[in-house]
Amino acid sequence: MDLTEVIDAYLVESDELLREMEVILLRTESSLPTEDDMNAIFRAVHTIKGTAGMFGFDSTVSFAHVVENLLDELRSKTIPFQIPLTEILLKAKDHLSYLVSEETRGKISSDKLSFGQNILDEMKPFLLASVAKDPIQNQSSNESVAESNKTIHHQSNLEQKSENDSKNSISSYLISFRPNQNVFSHGLDPISFIGYLKKIGTILSLKTIEQFLPEGNEYDPENCYLGFEINFKTDKDLETVQKVFNFIEQDCFLHIYPPGFNVLDLVDLSNQLPEEEIYLGNIWKEIQILNDQTFLLYLEEIKIRKTGIPSTALANTDSHTNLKTKITPEIPEQSKETQKSMTIKVDSKRIDNLINRVGELVVSCANMNQLIGDSDDSNLQESSQMVIRLLNEVREISLKLRMVPIGESFQKYSRIVRDLGKDLQKDIRLITEGDETELDRNIVEKLSDPLTHLVRNACDHGLELPEDRLNVGKPKQGTIRLNAYHEAGNVIIEVSDDGNGISKEKVWKKGIEKGLVTGEIPDSDEEVYKLLFHPGFSTASQITNVSGRGVGLDVVSKNIEALRGTITVKSTPSQGSRFILRLPLTLAIIEGFLVAVGKSHFIIPMEMVLECLHFSDDHKTESNQFFALRGNLIPFLRLKDYYPCESEEEAFRENIVIVRNGEKKAGIVVEKLLGEYQTVIKPMGSVFRHVKGVSGSSILGDGNVALIIDVPSLFERTITVENQKLLNHRG
């Protein structure tokens, strides 16, 4: 049996759970976790442990089991949450992430197993009740337990509590099982799980909950409306019983009380179930969980909680003062349930394949439209326009399938900032904005390294030490901001800090030392900051674990260019720096503006095009490289000066396309304006991959190839050429 797809799903689900766990744990450094937070962390570890157990990943199960014990004690408030636990649980999360990833490949090094054991050893002082009860942890913790007076004292309390609770405790399991309404659509049958219970024990009694069964005209046979209360007896432990429901655990509300629970536990459970408390009490009496005496106690306790008036019947009962709820599951919120039912997980390769096919369809449709355009058949032309309109809608929908919020990627930098702050002895806060901004999934994945380098650079180079900030009147805590937003068909991502800023003089001096530049420092900040992205360039006085080797910003620049994006730097001394990444929305299909020079065709990204104008003879002198546009001078270039273009016999008047890149405007002089064109981006071959000014190619409807102009790169190349001419002229 091939388990590849199932294991892949396990890896994806575990990664999501561990990311959620990390986000919650990072919040606990500033505020104590809520009950919902602790339940979410516990569920994450418990789910990973259960799924790993099904595949026989014993190392993951053993480690997660002990972590789960600690979390169970925390959420039941047997032990209070303390700040040192955040660090320990973050380490446990990292180790779980390693185990989940590597055990699927069968690779677990002895060093990592020892590292995991060290984490468990750090938990020992906090593990109170579970140490005495849990055989797995007990094997590695007996010595520590014997030395801990606190643990011994807690055990004696538990024993005393057990004696007090024995009068009203129940000797069998109670299973409250409420499958979600959409459980059938996930291919799950609740009855099969109940039937499996018979293999490990005996169902003493079972009651089907029909309270929410709709009327005949509203009944949907594809929905599940039933719930179940089960009185179950077995000699197996709680973990074995829970494993019966592993596959359906995410699609139901499930609560299992092991033998020894009591009346107050049932009252707490009744507050979490959708049915009325009195109705549930009668159900539990019917399946012999409650007898006449305990049913009366159950009703009295409900009365106390609703009215606040104490009852003499319960005041004389020892169990009332000693009972505590050990398990407090929560009913999933309706909004979360609705969202889960409306979300479908699809293999990303299928989406990529769909977009590739849509791209080919766009090319074919353009060819068809060109052929039909020469026809005199109006009906055929009308049908062609309808097909094109529908194809545009399909294209938009297919591209949105691959769009994901950038906020999911931003989350991981909270941990990076936290850890670096501790290593560098700096107090750093990370603020993220524009988390809902959507970007192509492929771009988001490739942004991970550049953003990591920029965040690390801001922590080390950008922000000062706390005492230095206080000396200059700044808050002790430094701030790093990650901001994302849309602008002119692009996505802008800014990484900024409120630190020292960048010293232009220091950067230029370092550039001279390395032989990269000569002469006086230029007025243009852009010319100076470009040195930061040169391979091997660093202004750090010494090499550290974080920076100083001069490879970070070089990697950033290359990766951003590979994504057809640009990066600019803005900095103010003593106030901070800002790195601005400008990226395309997608790498697959774009709206383009088709132009021609001679027999050669070029495509300019439509979001950069502002307007098109006739280029008069007054602007054709080589000495004048500026175009007068409504009182402003716009620099321009001719495409034929930069790309070999085969000229045509017929002479065409020139036109100028005004484009915008960020805050800058410029002109591109061409011969023919051919209009908007849906462009399917094809990567350049290895021979042309490093050609400046070209970001890709596209196949036109007639089979010809058009080059896609990389406007930022083309203008950078032009500036370099012009500067060189100026230097030669001065020389």
Side-chain angles (χ1 to χ4, degrees):
M1 181 180 177
D2 186 10
L3 295 177
T4 304
E5 290 189 7
V6 183
I7 290 178
D8 286 345
Y10 159 65
L11 291 172
V12 171
E13 181 186 30
S14 299
D15 181 62
E16 291 175 355
L17 291 170
L18 290 172
R19 270 190 288 146
E20 180 186 3
M21 178 178 175
E22 182 177 86
V23 170
I24 295 173
L25 288 173
L26 290 174
R27 286 205 304 263
T28 63
E29 291 191 318
S30 56
S31 61
L32 289 175
T34 64
E35 185 177 348
D36 289 342
D37 289 339
M38 292 310 307
N39 284 331
I41 298 174
F42 178 85
R43 278 197 305 271
V45 177
H46 178 69
T47 301
I48 291 172
K49 185 189 81 169
T51 311
M54 290 188 293
F55 294 117
F57 298 147
D58 295 334
S59 297
T60 304
V61 171
S62 299
F63 184 82
H65 184 76
V66 182
V67 178
E68 184 184 45
N69 286 339
L70 175 61
L71 292 171
D72 195 24
E73 295 296 321
L74 287 170
R75 69 177 190 150
S76 63
K77 300 181 181 178
T78 304
I79 55 176
F81 191 91
Q82 304 171 47
I83 295 300
L85 284 170
T86 297
E87 185 70 34
I88 296 173
L89 289 173
L90 281 171
K91 290 181 183 178
K93 173 263 167 187
D94 291 341
H95 190 62
L96 264 179
S97 181
Y98 169 82
L99 291 175
V100 167
S101 174
E102 296 301 318
E103 196 164 14
T104 56
R105 306 172 190 172
K107 301 176 183 178
I108 299 291
S109 66
S110 56
D111 292 342
K112 284 294 184 179
L113 290 176
S114 300
F115 178 73
Q117 186 57 50
N118 292 337
I119 297 174
L120 298 183
D121 290 341
E122 291 184 52
M123 294 181 184
K124 286 178 185 178
F126 302 96
L127 280 165
L128 302 175
S130 59
V131 168
K133 295 180 180 180
D134 188 78
I136 295 178
Q137 186 181 352
N138 211 21
Q139 292 174 4
S140 62
S141 307
N142 281 335
E143 184 178 351
S144 178
V145 174
E147 295 173 356
S148 175
N149 294 329
K150 203 172 183 180
T151 302
I152 295 172
H153 177 69
H154 184 76
Q155 285 180 252
S156 64
N157 285 344
L158 288 177
E159 291 171 2
Q160 182 64 40
K161 175 186 169 187
S162 177
E163 291 178 7
N164 292 335
D165 293 351
S166 59
K167 295 179 181 179
N168 295 307
S169 64
I170 291 90
S171 60
S172 57
Y173 283 85
L174 171 63
I175 302 174
S176 295
F177 182 34
R178 303 291 188 277
N180 292 345
Q181 206 172 86
N182 62 340
V183 70
F184 296 145
S185 64
H186 294 176
L188 300 172
D189 181 7
I191 298 300
S192 63
F193 294 90
I194 296 174
Y196 192 81
L197 285 172
K198 298 178 183 178
K199 294 185 178 182
I200 62 171
T202 304
I203 296 178
L204 300 177
S205 54
L206 180 148
K207 179 65 176 178
T208 302
I209 309 298
E210 305 173 351
Q211 199 174 32
F212 300 105
L213 197 65
E215 298 294 332
N217 58 342
E218 298 178 358
Y219 179 80
D220 185 348
E222 295 184 358
N223 288 341
C224 178
Y225 301 101
L226 304 179
F228 306 92
E229 291 293 324
I230 306 169
N231 186 354
F232 179 64
K233 189 165 188 177
T234 180
D235 56 357
K236 306 294 184 182
D237 59 10
L238 175 60
E239 186 178 353
T240 303
V241 178
Q242 287 173 332
K243 281 184 178 180
V244 173
F245 299 92
N246 271 345
F247 281 106
I248 200 173
E249 187 176 25
Q250 299 301 316
D251 294 280
C252 71
F253 170 79
L254 177 69
H255 194 93
I256 303 175
Y257 272 136
F261 65 95
N262 43 64
V263 172
L264 296 185
D265 292 324
L266 292 178
V267 176
D268 289 329
L269 177 58
S270 69
N271 291 328
Q272 301 171 62
L273 290 169
E275 296 82 17
E276 294 290 333
E277 295 97 330
I278 306 300
Y279 174 81
L280 287 169
N282 284 302
I283 294 293
W284 289 326
K285 184 178 180 183
E286 185 176 345
I287 62 175
Q288 299 176 347
I289 291 293
L290 295 173
N291 54 32
D292 291 340
Q293 178 186 357
T294 52
F295 181 62
L296 176 61
L297 294 175
Y298 172 81
L299 296 178
E300 289 291 342
E301 177 61 17
I302 290 174
K303 177 182 175 183
I304 290 175
R305 296 194 183 188
K306 287 186 177 295
T307 64
I309 301 173
S311 169
T312 54
L314 280 175
N316 297 325
T317 306
D318 291 337
S319 61
H320 181 251
T321 57
N322 293 316
L323 295 179
K324 288 184 179 180
T325 305
K326 291 188 178 182
I327 304 176
T328 54
E330 56 177 333
I331 301 175
E333 295 178 9
Q334 187 63 33
S335 59
K336 293 180 181 178
E337 191 59 48
T338 303
Q339 183 178 0
K340 186 186 293 184
S341 65
M342 295 177 66
T343 303
I344 301 175
K345 291 184 179 180
V346 180
D347 189 343
S348 61
K349 293 179 181 178
R350 295 185 180 182
I351 296 177
D352 293 341
N353 190 38
L354 170 65
I355 292 175
N356 289 336
R357 292 293 179 269
V358 170
E360 298 298 331
L361 190 58
V362 167
V363 174
S364 299
C365 191
N367 186 26
M368 179 193 72
N369 189 45
Q370 186 174 355
L371 295 173
I372 293 176
D374 299 331
S375 170
D376 296 331
D377 191 336
S378 59
N379 291 330
L380 190 60
Q381 291 179 353
E382 185 178 347
S383 299
S384 172
Q385 291 301 317
M386 183 175 293
V387 170
I388 291 174
R389 187 175 69 252
L390 292 173
L391 179 59
N392 287 339
E393 294 178 5
V394 171
R395 178 181 70 90
E396 292 295 329
I397 293 171
S398 61
L399 287 177
K400 286 180 180 178
L401 291 176
R402 211 161 64 178
M403 304 295 277
V404 295
I406 191 74
E408 295 180 8
S409 179
F410 280 175
Q411 286 180 358
K412 70 176 183 179
Y413 299 109
S414 299
R415 178 71 183 281
I416 292 174
V417 168
R418 171 194 177 274
D419 292 345
L420 278 177
K422 290 196 170 185
D423 292 342
L424 299 169
Q425 298 181 346
K426 296 179 180 180
D427 187 1
I428 308 174
R429 176 180 60 159
L430 177 69
I431 298 176
T432 62
E433 299 172 344
D435 290 1
E436 69 286 350
T437 304
E438 290 190 334
L439 194 58
D440 190 306
R441 174 184 54 81
N442 291 341
I443 296 180
V444 171
E445 291 175 356
K446 294 174 183 177
L447 268 178
S448 177
D449 284 347
L451 287 180
T452 299
H453 282 299
L454 290 175
V455 170
R456 290 169 63 88
N457 194 66
C459 291
D460 191 24
H461 285 299
L463 296 176
E464 314 94 327
L465 290 169
E467 53 270 24
D468 295 335
R469 292 179 63 86
L470 291 173
N471 290 337
V472 296
K474 290 184 179 181
K476 179 181 178 182
Q477 186 180 61
T479 301
I480 296 176
R481 291 180 183 273
L482 279 174
N483 185 21
Y485 56 91
H486 291 284
E487 182 183 277
N490 291 317
V491 171
I492 311 299
I493 299 176
E494 296 183 358
V495 182
S496 59
D497 64 73
D498 64 347
N500 271 321
I502 300 173
S503 170
K504 291 172 54 179
E505 293 75 15
K506 188 175 182 181
V507 172
W508 191 255
K509 183 180 178 182
K510 195 74 174 181
I512 294 175
E513 290 177 5
K514 288 185 168 289
L516 301 175
V517 292
T518 57
E520 296 295 325
I521 184 170
D523 294 331
S524 171
D525 292 350
E526 189 174 347
E527 286 296 310
V528 178
Y529 295 148
K530 255 196 287 187
L531 292 172
L532 296 171
F533 302 98
H534 195 278
F537 189 93
S538 175
T539 57
S541 56
Q542 61 182 4
I543 296 175
T544 67
N545 291 334
V546 181
S547 61
R549 301 186 184 274
V551 295
L553 292 182
D554 174 35
V555 171
V556 171
S557 178
K558 289 180 179 178
N559 287 352
I560 296 302
E561 286 180 4
L563 294 171
R564 304 200 326 273
T566 61
I567 179 169
T568 54
V569 183
K570 295 185 181 297
S571 181
T572 304
S574 302
Q575 293 185 23
S577 306
R578 186 159 52 109
F579 289 79
I580 306 168
L581 312 183
R582 183 179 298 273
L583 299 158
L585 278 174
T586 178
L587 298 176
I589 304 173
I590 63 169
E591 289 286 351
F593 188 73
L594 186 62
V595 298
V597 178
K599 295 182 179 180
S600 302
H601 293 81
F602 300 90
I603 294 172
I604 304 172
M606 193 66 194
E607 68 268 7
M608 293 186 173
V609 176
L610 292 178
E611 58 183 314
C612 302
L613 301 167
H614 170 59
F615 194 69
S616 66
D617 294 337
D618 297 337
H619 303 97
K620 292 187 178 181
T621 59
E622 291 298 327
S623 59
N624 184 7
Q625 291 295 318
F626 291 91
F627 177 80
L629 178 65
R630 292 185 286 276
N632 295 319
L633 291 178
I634 306 295
F636 72 88
L637 58 87
R638 286 182 171 86
L639 281 184
K640 66 180 181 181
D641 294 339
Y642 290 88
Y643 303 103
C645 303
E646 185 180 352
S647 60
E648 291 187 330
E649 296 179 0
E650 183 182 355
F652 289 90
R653 73 173 189 177
E654 288 185 315
N655 298 280
I656 185 168
V657 181
I658 307 299
V659 297
R660 176 179 63 183
N661 178 37
E663 300 173 356
K664 301 176 182 177
K665 294 180 181 179
I668 299 176
V669 178
V670 299
E671 292 181 354
K672 289 180 280 188
L673 305 174
L674 302 177
E676 295 184 29
Y677 187 82
Q678 285 194 20
T679 306
V680 181
I681 301 173
K682 299 291 184 182
M684 302 292 286
S686 57
V687 177
F688 306 100
R689 188 172 298 162
H690 302 292
V691 175
K692 292 290 185 181
V694 177
S695 60
S697 61
S698 182
I699 301 174
L700 302 179
D702 57 4
N704 289 322
V705 174
L707 297 179
I708 300 172
I709 299 299
D710 182 0
V711 174
S713 177
L714 179 64
F715 276 57
E716 182 182 343
R717 176 185 169 189
T718 305
I719 292 170
T720 303
V721 171
E722 293 300 321
N723 287 341
Q724 189 62 43
K725 286 181 181 179
L726 182 60
L727 288 174
N728 293 338
H729 178 70
R730 288 178 177 176

Short mmCIF file of all heavy atoms in Angstrom, two decimals, residues 21 37 44 98 110 123 133 166 224 234 243 319 403 414 446 467 469 472 476 578 602 630 648 687 689:
data_model
loop_
_atom_site.label_atom_id
_atom_site.label_comp_id
_atom_site.label_asym_id
_atom_site.label_seq_id
_atom_site.Cartn_x
_atom_site.Cartn_y
_atom_site.Cartn_z
N MET A 21 0.93 26.69 17.06
CA MET A 21 1.46 26.53 18.41
C MET A 21 2.53 27.58 18.70
O MET A 21 2.54 28.20 19.78
CB MET A 21 2.05 25.12 18.56
CG MET A 21 2.69 24.82 19.89
SD MET A 21 3.29 23.11 19.93
CE MET A 21 4.11 23.09 21.54
N ASP A 37 -6.14 29.21 24.39
CA ASP A 37 -4.76 29.04 23.93
C ASP A 37 -4.20 27.70 24.37
O ASP A 37 -3.58 26.98 23.57
CB ASP A 37 -3.87 30.17 24.49
CG ASP A 37 -4.15 31.51 23.83
OD1 ASP A 37 -4.71 31.51 22.72
OD2 ASP A 37 -3.83 32.54 24.43
N ALA A 44 -2.85 20.53 19.30
CA ALA A 44 -1.81 20.41 18.27
C ALA A 44 -0.89 19.24 18.57
O ALA A 44 -0.64 18.38 17.70
CB ALA A 44 -1.01 21.71 18.19
N TYR A 98 11.27 18.85 13.86
CA TYR A 98 12.36 18.02 13.33
C TYR A 98 11.95 16.55 13.27
O TYR A 98 12.16 15.87 12.25
CB TYR A 98 13.62 18.18 14.20
CG TYR A 98 14.69 17.18 13.88
CD1 TYR A 98 15.56 17.38 12.81
CD2 TYR A 98 14.82 16.01 14.64
CE1 TYR A 98 16.55 16.44 12.51
CE2 TYR A 98 15.80 15.07 14.34
CZ TYR A 98 16.66 15.30 13.27
OH TYR A 98 17.62 14.36 12.97
N SER A 110 21.39 10.31 16.61
CA SER A 110 21.49 10.11 18.06
C SER A 110 21.65 11.45 18.78
O SER A 110 21.17 11.62 19.90
CB SER A 110 22.66 9.18 18.38
OG SER A 110 23.86 9.70 17.85
N MET A 123 11.72 19.80 31.54
CA MET A 123 10.31 19.80 31.94
C MET A 123 10.10 19.15 33.30
O MET A 123 9.06 19.36 33.92
CB MET A 123 9.48 19.04 30.89
CG MET A 123 9.41 19.69 29.54
SD MET A 123 8.37 18.71 28.42
CE MET A 123 8.58 19.64 26.89
N LYS A 133 2.23 9.19 37.38
CA LYS A 133 1.26 8.35 36.70
C LYS A 133 1.77 7.81 35.37
O LYS A 133 1.35 6.75 34.93
CB LYS A 133 -0.02 9.14 36.44
CG LYS A 133 -0.73 9.55 37.71
CD LYS A 133 -1.99 10.32 37.36
CE LYS A 133 -2.74 10.74 38.62
NZ LYS A 133 -3.95 11.49 38.31
N SER A 166 -13.98 8.93 46.07
CA SER A 166 -14.38 7.55 45.76
C SER A 166 -15.87 7.31 45.96
O SER A 166 -16.46 6.44 45.33
CB SER A 166 -13.56 6.57 46.62
OG SER A 166 -13.79 6.84 47.99
N CYS A 224 -25.25 14.67 8.90
CA CYS A 224 -25.40 13.87 10.12
C CYS A 224 -25.98 14.76 11.21
O CYS A 224 -25.41 15.81 11.53
CB CYS A 224 -24.04 13.32 10.55
SG CYS A 224 -24.09 12.37 12.09
N THR A 234 -14.02 -1.13 29.82
CA THR A 234 -12.87 -1.82 29.24
C THR A 234 -11.73 -1.78 30.25
O THR A 234 -11.70 -0.94 31.15
CB THR A 234 -12.42 -1.15 27.94
OG1 THR A 234 -11.30 -1.85 27.40
CG2 THR A 234 -12.03 0.30 28.15
N LYS A 243 -7.59 6.41 20.76
CA LYS A 243 -7.09 6.03 19.44
C LYS A 243 -8.19 5.52 18.52
O LYS A 243 -8.08 5.59 17.30
CB LYS A 243 -6.00 4.97 19.57
CG LYS A 243 -4.64 5.53 19.98
CD LYS A 243 -3.58 4.44 20.00
CE LYS A 243 -2.21 5.01 20.34
NZ LYS A 243 -1.18 3.95 20.36
N SER A 319 -17.22 15.52 48.09
CA SER A 319 -16.80 15.65 46.69
C SER A 319 -16.94 17.07 46.18
O SER A 319 -16.24 17.48 45.27
CB SER A 319 -17.59 14.70 45.79
OG SER A 319 -18.96 15.02 45.86
N MET A 403 -3.12 32.38 -5.21
CA MET A 403 -2.82 33.54 -4.38
C MET A 403 -3.03 33.21 -2.90
O MET A 403 -4.04 32.61 -2.53
CB MET A 403 -3.72 34.72 -4.76
CG MET A 403 -3.65 35.10 -6.23
SD MET A 403 -2.06 35.73 -6.74
CE MET A 403 -2.22 37.43 -6.24
N SER A 414 8.36 36.45 13.63
CA SER A 414 8.22 36.78 15.06
C SER A 414 9.20 35.96 15.88
O SER A 414 9.85 36.46 16.80
CB SER A 414 6.78 36.52 15.52
OG SER A 414 5.86 37.31 14.83
N LYS A 446 9.55 31.82 -2.48
CA LYS A 446 10.90 32.29 -2.84
C LYS A 446 11.28 33.56 -2.09
O LYS A 446 12.44 33.98 -2.15
CB LYS A 446 10.98 32.51 -4.35
CG LYS A 446 10.85 31.22 -5.14
CD LYS A 446 10.79 31.46 -6.63
CE LYS A 446 10.58 30.15 -7.39
NZ LYS A 446 10.45 30.35 -8.84
N GLU A 467 20.82 50.46 25.88
CA GLU A 467 21.41 51.61 26.55
C GLU A 467 21.77 52.72 25.56
O GLU A 467 21.66 53.92 25.88
CB GLU A 467 22.66 51.19 27.35
CG GLU A 467 23.69 50.42 26.55
CD GLU A 467 23.48 48.91 26.58
OE1 GLU A 467 22.32 48.48 26.81
OE2 GLU A 467 24.45 48.19 26.36
N ARG A 469 20.12 53.37 22.79
CA ARG A 469 18.86 54.01 22.40
C ARG A 469 18.41 55.00 23.47
O ARG A 469 17.94 56.09 23.15
CB ARG A 469 17.78 52.94 22.16
CG ARG A 469 18.04 52.06 20.94
CD ARG A 469 16.94 51.01 20.79
NE ARG A 469 15.64 51.61 20.54
CZ ARG A 469 15.19 51.95 19.34
NH1 ARG A 469 15.95 51.77 18.27
NH2 ARG A 469 13.99 52.49 19.20
N VAL A 472 20.21 58.39 23.38
CA VAL A 472 19.84 59.36 22.34
C VAL A 472 18.36 59.71 22.38
O VAL A 472 17.82 60.29 21.44
CB VAL A 472 20.22 58.81 20.93
CG1 VAL A 472 21.71 58.66 20.80
CG2 VAL A 472 19.50 57.50 20.64
N LYS A 476 13.58 52.25 24.80
CA LYS A 476 14.49 51.13 24.99
C LYS A 476 14.23 50.02 23.98
O LYS A 476 15.15 49.36 23.49
CB LYS A 476 14.32 50.59 26.42
CG LYS A 476 15.20 49.41 26.74
CD LYS A 476 14.95 48.92 28.17
CE LYS A 476 15.80 47.70 28.49
NZ LYS A 476 15.54 47.20 29.86
N ARG A 578 14.74 51.76 5.53
CA ARG A 578 13.58 51.10 4.94
C ARG A 578 14.02 50.43 3.64
O ARG A 578 14.53 51.09 2.73
CB ARG A 578 12.47 52.12 4.69
CG ARG A 578 11.16 51.55 4.22
CD ARG A 578 10.02 52.53 4.51
NE ARG A 578 10.29 53.86 4.00
CZ ARG A 578 9.65 54.40 2.96
NH1 ARG A 578 8.72 53.71 2.32
NH2 ARG A 578 9.94 55.63 2.57
N PHE A 602 7.91 43.50 -28.66
CA PHE A 602 8.25 43.60 -27.24
C PHE A 602 6.96 43.79 -26.45
O PHE A 602 5.98 44.34 -26.95
CB PHE A 602 9.19 44.78 -26.98
CG PHE A 602 10.50 44.68 -27.71
CD1 PHE A 602 10.64 45.23 -28.99
CD2 PHE A 602 11.59 44.05 -27.15
CE1 PHE A 602 11.83 45.14 -29.67
CE2 PHE A 602 12.80 43.96 -27.83
CZ PHE A 602 12.92 44.49 -29.10
N ARG A 630 4.20 68.03 -20.49
CA ARG A 630 3.41 68.95 -19.67
C ARG A 630 4.26 69.70 -18.64
O ARG A 630 3.99 69.70 -17.45
CB ARG A 630 2.27 68.18 -18.98
CG ARG A 630 1.22 67.68 -19.95
CD ARG A 630 0.06 67.05 -19.22
NE ARG A 630 0.41 65.74 -18.68
CZ ARG A 630 0.37 64.60 -19.37
NH1 ARG A 630 0.01 64.63 -20.65
NH2 ARG A 630 0.68 63.46 -18.82
N GLU A 648 12.21 47.27 -41.03
CA GLU A 648 11.31 47.03 -42.15
C GLU A 648 11.54 48.10 -43.22
O GLU A 648 12.06 49.19 -42.95
CB GLU A 648 9.85 47.06 -41.68
CG GLU A 648 9.48 45.89 -40.79
CD GLU A 648 8.00 45.86 -40.48
OE1 GLU A 648 7.40 46.95 -40.43
OE2 GLU A 648 7.47 44.77 -40.27
N VAL A 687 20.97 30.34 -21.98
CA VAL A 687 21.88 31.25 -22.67
C VAL A 687 21.48 32.70 -22.43
O VAL A 687 22.33 33.59 -22.29
CB VAL A 687 21.90 30.94 -24.19
CG1 VAL A 687 22.78 31.94 -24.92
CG2 VAL A 687 22.37 29.52 -24.44
N ARG A 689 19.39 33.80 -19.90
CA ARG A 689 18.82 34.01 -18.57
C ARG A 689 19.36 35.26 -17.88
O ARG A 689 18.67 35.91 -17.11
CB ARG A 689 19.10 32.78 -17.71
CG ARG A 689 18.38 32.78 -16.37
CD ARG A 689 18.55 31.44 -15.68
NE ARG A 689 17.94 30.37 -16.47
CZ ARG A 689 18.22 29.07 -16.31
NH1 ARG A 689 19.11 28.71 -15.41
NH2 ARG A 689 17.64 28.16 -17.05
#
